[in-house]
Amino acid sequence: EHPTHWLISTQVRATAALANALLLNPGQNAGYAATAKSVLRSALSSIGFVTGLRYCDCSFPASDASKPEIVLRRWSSLDDSEWDVSWTPIWTAEACVDGSRGISFTTLLKVTNIALRGRIRLTFAADGSQLKVSFLETPAFRCDVACHVTLGQVPLPIQAELGRVVRDEATRWLDRTMVAPNAYRIVLSKRKPLSDDDLARAMEAAKIGAERAVLGSRFPSSPLPDKRGPGKL
C-alpha cells in the first residue's frame, strides 16, 4: 500500500472513531436527553387538548449498540470531510400526558425505534478546541410513538396527533440545529464540577420515579401503537 494512501486511511479511521467518542459518550448523551425532554415537553404542551404533563423522561444510554454506521464520502482533511450516516440508537423517550377532548384521559406516550439517515460534514477546529457537525440537507427521520392508556380512553385521532407532533418537532429541531448552514458544536474542554443543573436533573429523576410507581399501582396499561407514522427509512 502506498504510504500516502495508508496515512489517509489511518486519518479516516481515527476521525470516525474520535467523532463517535466525542459525540456519543455519557456526558454528551445526558445533554442530548435534557434537550430532548425540553423539546418534547414544549411540543406536547402546545397541543390544545393536552391539559397537563405529569412528567417527561428520556433514556439515552451510551453503548456500542447505539453507535451509528458511517461511510466516508469525501475527505479533504480533519477540518473538512463528509460521511453517510445511518443511525438507529437504542434510545427511548416517554411522557405522561393528561388531556381532554369530550372525555378526560391520561396516557403514557412512548417514543421508540428512532432512526436517522443522512449525510454529515465533520469539521475539527485547527486548534483542536471544537468539533462541528452538520447535515448537508434535512435527514430522513422516523420513530414509533405508542400511547399506553392509564385512565379513560384515547381516540385514535388523538393518538395520531400526538405522534405527528412528536415527529414534526424532532424534524424542526434538526433543521434549526444541525442542518447546514447550522451546525452542532462540541467544545472540547475539561469536565466541570457538578452544577445546580446537575442536581436539578437528579431531583427530577427521583420525582419521575415516584410518579411512575404511583401510576403503575393505580392504572392498568394497554399499549395502543400509533400506526400512522412514516414507513421505514
Side-chain angles (χ1 to χ4, degrees):
E1 185 177 13
H2 192 280
T4 301
H5 294 164
W6 177 86
L7 178 59
I8 292 176
S9 176
T10 301
Q11 289 178 324
V12 168
R13 289 195 297 269
T15 299
L18 182 57
N20 262 330
L22 294 174
L23 288 168
L24 298 171
N25 59 64
Q28 284 296 130
N29 286 9
Y32 302 148
T35 298
K37 283 196 288 186
S38 177
V39 170
L40 185 58
R41 185 180 291 112
S42 176
L44 294 175
S45 297
S46 70
I47 302 175
F49 58 76
V50 172
T51 58
L53 187 59
R54 297 196 183 195
Y55 73 81
C56 181
D57 194 25
C58 297
S59 175
F60 289 4
S63 68
D64 289 342
S66 289
K67 289 182 178 179
E69 296 179 7
I70 58 176
V71 178
L72 179 68
R73 290 306 180 194
R74 185 180 64 80
W75 173 269
S76 175
S77 63
L78 272 174
D79 64 358
D80 183 18
S81 61
E82 292 179 4
W83 309 72
D84 281 343
V85 176
S86 180
W87 191 32
T88 54
I90 52 172
W91 291 2
T92 61
E94 65 179 52
C96 188
V97 177
D98 293 324
S100 178
R101 182 178 280 180
I103 59 172
S104 296
F105 63 86
T106 298
T107 185
L108 183 61
L109 180 148
K110 292 192 175 184
V111 182
T112 58
N113 297 325
I114 298 168
L116 191 67
R117 189 182 68 202
R119 184 166 294 187
I120 61 172
R121 182 185 182 194
L122 295 180
T123 304
F124 283 92
D127 61 0
S129 62
Q130 70 173 355
L131 166 64
K132 293 195 298 184
V133 184
S134 62
F135 284 97
L136 303 190
E137 58 185 22
T138 301
F141 171 81
R142 73 174 298 273
C143 63
D144 291 338
V145 181
C147 291
H148 299 251
V149 179
T150 59
L151 181 66
Q153 294 181 338
V154 185
L156 289 175
I158 290 180
Q159 296 179 53
E161 175 71 3
L162 290 168
R164 183 192 64 78
V165 167
V166 169
R167 296 185 188 93
D168 287 353
E169 188 59 31
T171 301
R172 279 194 292 269
W173 183 87
L174 286 168
D175 279 338
R176 66 175 179 262
T177 306
M178 295 190 70
V179 177
N182 303 308
Y184 188 82
R185 291 173 169 81
I186 296 178
V187 177
L188 310 181
S189 60
K190 294 182 179 180
R191 179 170 176 81
K192 296 179 180 179
L194 286 175
S195 65
D196 290 342
D197 287 342
D198 295 322
L199 297 177
R201 283 194 290 269
M203 293 176 65
E204 183 183 12
K207 181 180 177 182
I208 289 171
E211 185 70 38
R212 282 176 174 154
V214 171
L215 288 172
S217 63
R218 290 177 56 189
F219 304 126
S221 296
S222 57
L224 296 172
D226 167 22
K227 300 295 186 181
R228 300 179 60 184
K232 293 183 179 180
L233 293 179

